Amino acid sequence: MRYKCTCSYDGSLFHGFQIQKDLRTVQEEIENVLLIINKKKTIIYPSGRTDTGVHALNQVFHFNSDITMEEESMRNAINSRLPRDIYIRKVEKVSDNFHARYDVLSKEYHYLIDFGTYDPLQRNYRYYFSYRNFNMEDFKQALLLFKGEHDFRSFTKNQSLSNTVRTIYAIDFEQENSLLRIKIVGNGFMHNMVRILVAMALEVGKGKISLADIKSITAQKNRRLSPKIVPPSGLYLVSVNYKE
């Protein structure tokens, strides 16, 4: 039986999603629970990895099990054993052909920037940014340059990939008082990609580089030209979308 799970987690105390030796990860915590339920090692397959400190509202993974259990019973069995910073929101029985990673149509990430007074209670859940004479309109226009299909090699940490072309379907902004929420939807995102895109757009807003520079950096496909990256605290994986 193949189970598809949708989960949320607070990434503050995790060293990312993927298992790493001697480090606490989301995958390890979930697989430890499935070992108890399935009574054997069970590997989970996520829609993709998230980095240290990155949060998820609706991450998706699947796993196989010899146990046939009602969906709600499986959800409760996992949740009752998980630490409090992970929660299984939904469990579905799916076809053996379903794959949480390879069947993804699009993902939506949000990045939160707070231009207001620093609050230590929120430090793990947004990026506090302060800069005199920051041009918000230039910042937004810089980010909007990334809409559409582009080769994003200049904006990913992983330079070993043979294909770095991705499509960003939408970039939207939602402002509430000092908090800016950036919504980015695309067919796929590479290692650190969202955080680098936001960071380089902030450089435009600060007047350090121009919109023309962003276009040139994109065209040159050179990671050394985009050295900036914003903290993981403001990044959220909001949804993963599949074919019906």
Side-chain angles (χ1 to χ4, degrees):
M1 177 65 64
R2 180 160 294 184
Y3 294 92
K4 172 189 175 186
C5 298
T6 303
C7 70
S8 301
Y9 49 86
D10 178 339
S12 304
L13 299 179
F14 289 109
H15 291 268
F17 189 94
Q18 187 181 32
I19 284 181
Q20 299 182 58
K21 186 178 180 180
D22 298 325
L23 295 174
R24 184 174 187 249
T25 65
V26 178
Q27 182 177 3
E28 182 178 41
E29 294 284 8
I30 295 173
E31 289 186 359
N32 285 343
V33 169
L34 292 177
L35 176 62
I36 298 170
I37 295 172
N38 291 329
K39 296 181 173 54
K40 67 177 183 179
K41 182 175 176 57
T42 302
I43 297 173
I44 65 172
Y45 300 89
S47 69
R49 308 169 187 172
T50 52
D51 294 335
T52 299
V54 175
H55 314 292
L57 302 181
N58 292 287
Q59 169 69 286
V60 176
F61 64 88
H62 79 261
F63 67 90
N64 297 325
S65 175
D66 296 332
I67 297 174
T68 301
M69 191 183 297
E70 291 300 319
E71 295 166 336
E72 187 65 11
S73 297
M74 179 63 80
R75 188 178 80 92
N76 290 335
I78 300 173
N79 277 332
S80 66
R81 295 172 172 87
L82 281 174
R84 302 299 286 176
D85 46 4
I86 311 175
Y87 186 73
I88 306 298
R89 301 171 66 88
K90 188 176 184 180
V91 172
E92 303 167 81
K93 295 176 182 177
V94 292
S95 162
D96 287 346
N97 295 322
F98 172 83
H99 198 287
R101 177 182 175 188
Y102 298 124
D103 291 349
V104 172
L105 290 179
S106 66
K107 292 182 181 180
E108 179 171 349
Y109 279 92
H110 290 185
Y111 195 86
L112 274 56
I113 304 177
D114 199 322
F115 295 88
T117 303
Y118 175 75
D119 180 352
L121 300 182
Q122 295 293 334
R123 72 190 187 281
N124 293 326
Y125 306 105
R126 59 190 61 181
Y127 171 38
Y128 281 96
F129 177 83
S130 60
Y131 191 86
R132 295 181 65 184
N133 302 318
F134 181 76
N135 190 311
M136 180 68 77
E137 190 57 34
D138 285 352
F139 164 68
K140 290 181 178 179
Q141 289 303 312
L143 264 183
L144 290 172
L145 289 176
F146 298 122
K147 280 182 66 175
E149 182 179 273
H150 303 281
D151 189 328
F152 287 98
R153 184 168 294 278
S154 293
F155 306 99
T156 177
K157 184 177 179 180
N158 189 351
Q159 294 295 299
S160 64
L161 293 172
S162 59
N163 179 16
T164 49
V165 175
R166 300 292 186 274
T167 302
I168 293 182
Y169 301 123
I171 299 177
D172 296 299
F173 306 93
E174 185 179 284
Q175 184 90 39
E176 183 177 352
N177 299 320
S178 65
L179 185 65
L180 178 68
R181 182 183 298 271
I182 304 160
K183 304 177 180 180
I184 303 180
V185 181
N187 66 351
F189 296 90
M190 296 171 287
H191 192 193
N192 290 164
M193 178 175 160
V194 174
R195 293 165 58 197
I196 296 170
L197 295 181
V198 172
M200 295 307 293
L202 285 172
E203 292 297 289
V204 176
K206 291 191 289 187
K208 299 293 186 182
I209 61 175
S210 67
L211 294 174
D213 290 331
I214 290 290
K215 294 178 182 179
S216 175
I217 291 168
T218 303
Q220 292 185 67
K221 305 172 190 175
N222 186 342
R223 172 70 176 98
R224 288 177 294 178
L225 300 176
S226 58
K228 302 295 184 178
I229 186 168
V230 289
S233 54
L235 187 59
Y236 296 76
L237 173 58
V238 171
S239 65
V240 185
N241 305 301
Y242 297 89
K243 298 176 183 177
E244 292 295 331

